[in-house]
Amino acid sequence: MVCYFLCRKTGRDLPQTVHQASVATGIDVGIRKFAVLSKGEEILNPGFFSKEEKKLSRAQKKLSRKEKDSSNWQKQVARLQKLHAKVANQREDLLHKTSFRLANTYSVICVENLNICNQAKIGKCPNRFMMQDGEYSASFWRINVSSMAASWLK
């Protein structure tokens, strides 16, 4: 599978966003709900993996029936990789959009420092409730918040 990306630089300077009011919020990252803000707003976990789970299992089953390293096996591997990439891109898109919206709305964002993977292991939580590693999502919030010149507390 070949992917091409185009990056183009323009000579346009954008003004930096400066928050007039000091509005703060806290984020509680969870397993069943993606995040809950201190104001009570809930960001639901869209369950991208569970929506594609049937297609992924079928593609994996087809792959297991192919002769390894044959041309049909390689084609099926490409199909399977494409499905996994789709789920990963959907998750990343949700993280970018959510963190961008929060960075534009709040000047101070506090995130609790928990390891969600350990919570899932303790509670024997099935895969469909796990969106991704909590540290991964928190890193996206840090990137977008710092780029928006907002304060960050951990």
Side-chain angles (χ1 to χ4, degrees):
M1 186 167 85
V2 179
C3 294
Y4 294 100
F5 296 96
L6 176 67
C7 185
R8 183 176 178 201
K9 184 177 178 182
T10 60
R12 187 174 146 203
D13 291 330
L14 297 175
Q16 283 194 349
T17 303
V18 178
H19 293 282
Q20 299 298 328
S22 60
V23 181
T25 189
I27 299 175
D28 179 20
V29 181
I31 294 173
R32 293 180 190 260
K33 294 179 182 147
F34 178 65
V36 179
L37 303 181
S38 61
K39 310 281 186 196
E41 179 186 349
E42 294 178 351
I43 302 169
L44 298 177
N45 185 354
F48 296 121
F49 179 76
S50 59
K51 290 177 184 174
E52 298 293 327
E53 195 170 15
K54 198 170 192 177
K55 289 180 185 177
L56 283 165
S57 64
R58 283 182 185 159
Q60 188 66 46
K61 192 177 236 183
K62 282 183 180 181
L63 179 66
S64 69
R65 294 180 178 150
K66 306 283 184 201
E67 185 179 334
K68 192 168 182 176
D69 293 328
S70 67
S71 62
N72 287 333
W73 182 84
Q74 290 173 353
K75 289 177 198 174
Q76 189 61 33
V77 165
R79 289 184 196 112
L80 187 61
Q81 287 174 342
K82 191 174 180 181
L83 285 171
H84 279 293
K86 178 182 178 183
V87 172
N89 289 338
Q90 287 175 325
R91 289 175 173 174
E92 198 168 317
D93 186 53
L94 174 72
L95 288 173
H96 278 297
K97 287 179 180 178
T98 304
S99 60
F100 184 78
R101 182 177 61 84
L102 292 174
N104 281 334
T105 307
Y106 301 103
S107 58
V108 177
I109 300 173
C110 302
V111 180
E112 63 181 337
N113 192 12
L114 291 177
N115 189 349
I116 295 177
C117 289
N118 287 343
Q119 287 180 347
K121 288 175 190 172
I122 291 169
K124 302 203 179 359
C125 187
N127 279 340
R128 67 177 177 268
F129 293 127
M130 288 299 294
M131 183 166 164
Q132 68 276 332
D133 183 23
E135 288 298 316
Y136 180 69
S137 61
S139 68
F140 271 100
W141 286 336
R142 282 188 208 106
I143 289 168
N144 277 341
V145 168
S146 64
S147 67
M148 298 303 293
S151 301
W152 183 265
L153 298 175
K154 194 170 182 181

